[in-house]
Amino acid sequence: MTKYAYGYAALTLFCVGIMPVAHAELAPISDDAMGEVTGQAFMQIENFTGQNLNGREQKVTRMSLGIDVETRVNVDDVKVGEINAGTDFAASHLALGHIARVNGEVYNGVTYNEGDAVPFEARRPYIELAEDAAGLAGFRMGFHEARGSVSSNTTSFSGNIGMKIESFGQVYDAQLFQGPGGAPTDYRATHIGLKPNNPNQAAGCNVGATLANCAPLTQLRSLDIGEDSGQEGVAAFTDGFFIGFQRDQDGVAWKTLDGTSSIAAGKGVYINLPTNMTVQLDQLTGAGLDRRRTHQVDMGTKLF
């Protein structure tokens, strides 16, 4: 039926983009040889009930592929959800994974030499479809496990960046903002700053002053995706890295993969970037985070 068309098209592109191409001749296998084969299904399909942001029921289908991926990808320019005089996500020089700058660079417990590729690691990719009475309400693509570097020059972001910010010994959750003086938002944000720890703290995005608590997203040149492993310099795999596409304002409350909670995603594009990073406020509002090397010719920590 046509209502599934863009979901299935996305699944096809997703699978083709990550699967290596192989050419082989099919041949019969004996019962004895088959008995020695162990493994798991290439594709696992799950059906369950979900909800939209207003609590109405949705039918959800999740298709997971039993493969692991290590990749390094560079994309010059990305614009997704470009409509109504704006863009849900806009970035240039987007990269997954990076290249070691020096001999002995250690990343997630592995030592690399200068020029070595440091891959973005992803396991069990999945696509998930949410359907309501009107048809396909949304779909998302992600991984059951992911970790590695994501670099970009991002000017518009819809979703969540799971980062901590430390200021004067206090640690805050990061908050996305519409811009200097703008309201907190998870839709087409341009800045990131402190989320108040209590109602008595001033909220808002102040930039370029001694009381600066906010900075443009372009200051986040590289982020490390993953969760706290309890080991210094090593990120644990996260199951929360995904990009979702929702049909209308009712959105989708995407369930976490363990089913214990949900992530509210409204109309358009929603990207969930979980990190285990704690960034100093003066670095965020000052020099910003250095960019990892993402090109064979090293273009510097700020790329430009």
Side-chain angles (χ1 to χ4, degrees):
M1 293 183 289
T2 57
K3 64 183 178 181
Y4 291 111
Y6 74 87
Y8 290 151
L11 175 60
T12 302
L13 292 173
F14 187 62
C15 295
V16 170
I18 62 174
M19 289 174 57
V21 177
H23 301 279
E25 181 180 355
L26 295 177
I29 184 171
S30 69
D31 290 341
D32 289 340
M34 181 66 77
E36 297 177 359
V37 175
T38 60
Q40 62 182 27
F42 176 70
M43 178 180 288
Q44 178 184 7
I45 299 179
E46 303 169 83
N47 295 291
F48 52 92
T49 300
Q51 292 183 333
N52 68 13
L53 301 188
N54 291 319
R56 289 195 294 273
E57 183 176 295
Q58 295 176 332
K59 297 178 181 179
V60 181
T61 300
R62 180 186 300 147
M63 293 165 281
S64 303
L65 303 181
I67 60 176
D68 297 341
V69 179
E70 290 188 353
T71 188
R72 191 177 68 79
V73 177
N74 285 320
V75 182
D76 288 341
D77 293 285
V78 179
K79 288 186 177 180
V80 187
E82 190 174 12
I83 192 172
N84 297 330
T87 305
D88 295 352
F89 174 71
S92 59
H93 300 285
L94 176 67
L96 297 180
H98 63 279
I99 297 172
R101 277 203 167 91
V102 297
N103 290 335
E105 179 176 321
V106 179
Y107 190 79
N108 284 333
V110 179
T111 302
Y112 298 89
N113 291 322
E114 180 184 0
D116 286 348
V118 184
F120 186 93
E121 301 173 81
R123 300 173 179 174
R124 295 188 65 205
Y126 69 87
I127 185 168
E128 194 168 307
L129 309 176
E131 181 186 11
D132 60 17
L136 188 61
F139 69 92
R140 67 169 174 169
M141 298 176 289
F143 303 94
H144 284 259
E145 295 182 289
R147 70 176 181 181
S149 64
V150 174
S151 305
S152 68
N153 183 58
T154 299
T155 54
S156 181
F157 185 89
S158 299
N160 172 65
I161 298 177
M163 188 178 73
K164 302 288 187 181
I165 301 174
E166 184 173 351
S167 176
F168 297 104
Q170 295 289 320
V171 177
Y172 302 82
D173 290 330
Q175 173 71 65
L176 295 169
F177 292 93
Q178 290 177 345
T185 186
D186 62 1
Y187 181 66
R188 297 184 177 180
T190 61
H191 285 64
I192 189 168
L194 302 179
K195 181 178 182 179
N197 281 342
N198 63 68
N200 296 323
Q201 290 178 294
C205 178
N206 301 311
V207 300
T210 56
L211 297 178
N213 64 356
C214 191
L217 288 170
T218 51
Q219 295 284 77
L220 300 180
R221 300 180 183 94
S222 288
L223 294 172
D224 294 327
I225 302 303
E227 297 180 359
D228 185 7
S229 68
Q231 182 179 353
E232 184 69 25
V234 178
F237 285 92
T238 177
D239 63 1
F241 180 53
F242 71 84
I243 177 171
F245 303 82
Q246 294 70 229
R247 184 190 62 215
D248 52 35
Q249 297 295 345
D250 287 341
V252 179
W254 296 112
K255 286 186 177 180
T256 56
L257 297 188
D258 62 8
T260 59
S261 60
S262 61
I263 298 172
K267 181 179 180 180
V269 175
Y270 187 99
I271 301 174
N272 198 53
L273 290 181
T275 85
N276 66 332
M277 300 176 68
T278 299
V279 177
Q280 297 295 320
L281 179 62
D282 57 357
Q283 180 183 10
L284 177 65
T285 60
L289 303 187
D290 287 344
R291 184 182 176 98
R292 296 187 181 275
R293 177 182 173 185
T294 57
H295 295 71
Q296 290 296 338
V297 176
D298 195 347
M299 302 178 74
T301 57
K302 295 186 178 180
L303 188 64
F304 304 106

